[in-house]
């Protein structure tokens, strides 16, 4: 059986050298990079270079995101390592004139990115987290990194008030954790029961990406 490390990193959209913005998009359970390719068409912002990792078996970890860490291993550790390796390469190859790098996760992908961002606090230029929160069964606190840290970074979170998989209280705790690290945090809550990205959220995401795009 393939591991996450053996899966392809898929490119979509603008070439890196011509990109106005780089988006690292992490899909959810049962999904693939095609989820973000379709979403990119809905968003309709030109000049974005999308880098899209692929989960082995279409799932980053087997259980629910609020289960104990050990119950989701070894896949969870492998998934976090893939995010670290791929995102570090994107950030390390960015020069002073390079396009900003934003991370974007949906559902299981948003949970994975929330965990990585809060614990590692990499030098991303922003983050979009739709329907996800940090991992584990209990509320947690996170210490600010000395550098680069997330201070001043725009972090936008989205969630339905009655999502069947992601409880709103954990998303609120996650937003508070980012605020505690001095990130500029926005949480949009929708009266909805569907596990999807609604058109209003697409419009907000579109504006966010336009604001962060170079030029």
């Amino acid at each position: 059986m393939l591991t996450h490390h053996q899966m392809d990193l898929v490119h979509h959209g603008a070439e890196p050298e011509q990109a106005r913005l780089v988006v690292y998009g992490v899909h959810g359970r049962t999904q693939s990079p095609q989820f973000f390719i379709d979403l990119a068409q809905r968003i309709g912002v030109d000049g974005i270079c999308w880098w899209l990792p692929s989960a082995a078996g279409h799932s980053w970890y087997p259980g629910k995101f609020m289960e104990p860490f050990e119950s989701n291993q070894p896949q969870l550790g492998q998934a976090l390592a893939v995010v670290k390796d791929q995102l570090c390469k994107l950030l390390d190859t960015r020069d002073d004139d390079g396009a900003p790098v934003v991370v974007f996760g949906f559902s299981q992908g948003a949970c994975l990115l929330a965990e990585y961002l809060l614990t590692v606090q990499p030098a991303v230029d922003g983050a979009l987290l739709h329907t996800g929160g940090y991992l584990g069964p209990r509320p947690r606190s996170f210490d600010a990194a000395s550098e680069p840290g997330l201070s001043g970074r725009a972090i936008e979170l989205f969630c339905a008030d009655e999502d069947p998989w992601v409880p709103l209280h954990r998303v609120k705790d996650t937003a508070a954790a980012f605020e505690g690290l001095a990130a500029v945090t926005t949480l949009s809550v929708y009266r909805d029961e569907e596990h999807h990205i609604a058109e209003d959220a697409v419009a907000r995401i579109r504006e966010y990406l336009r604001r962060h795009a170079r030029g």
Side-chain angles (χ1 to χ4, degrees), residues 68-84:
F69 281 78
E70 56 270 20
S71 67
N72 278 315
Q73 300 293 3
Q75 294 94 328
L76 174 57
Q78 295 168 357
L80 289 168
V82 165
V83 169
K84 178 180 180 180

Side-chain angles (χ1 to χ4, degrees), residues 31-181:
Q31 296 173 343
S32 72
Q34 188 64 44
F35 172 84
F36 273 104
I37 294 173
D38 295 339
L39 183 60
Q41 294 176 340
R42 291 175 65 192
I43 293 170
V45 177
D46 293 332
I48 296 180
C49 171
W50 297 82
W51 287 110
L52 309 172
S54 308
H58 304 283
S59 179
W60 294 107
Y61 45 85
K64 297 179 180 179
F65 81 106
M66 291 179 65
E67 291 180 0
F69 281 78
E70 56 270 20
S71 67
N72 278 315
Q73 300 293 3
Q75 294 94 328
L76 174 57
Q78 295 168 357
L80 289 168
V82 165
V83 169
K84 178 180 180 180
D85 291 346
Q86 294 178 345
L87 193 53
C88 281
K89 288 178 182 176
L90 290 178
L91 294 173
D92 288 346
T93 56
R94 177 183 57 178
D95 57 30
D96 292 339
D97 296 324
V101 176
V102 167
V103 297
F104 187 174
F106 175 70
S107 189
Q108 197 184 51
C111 297
L112 195 66
L113 282 176
E115 182 68 24
Y116 183 75
L117 291 173
L118 287 168
T119 54
V120 178
Q121 299 166 42
V124 297
D125 295 288
L128 294 159
L129 302 174
H130 199 301
T131 319
Y134 63 72
L135 303 172
R138 291 176 295 277
R140 297 157 60 197
S141 59
F142 300 86
D143 294 328
S146 56
E147 59 178 50
L150 297 175
S151 178
R153 299 294 187 263
I155 312 292
E156 293 211 13
L157 301 94
F158 304 81
C159 193
D161 60 350
E162 297 291 341
D163 186 89
W165 306 109
V166 179
L168 181 57
H169 68 81
R170 175 51 61 88
V171 181
K172 289 181 176 179
D173 288 345
T174 303
F178 281 113
E179 288 178 351
L181 300 177

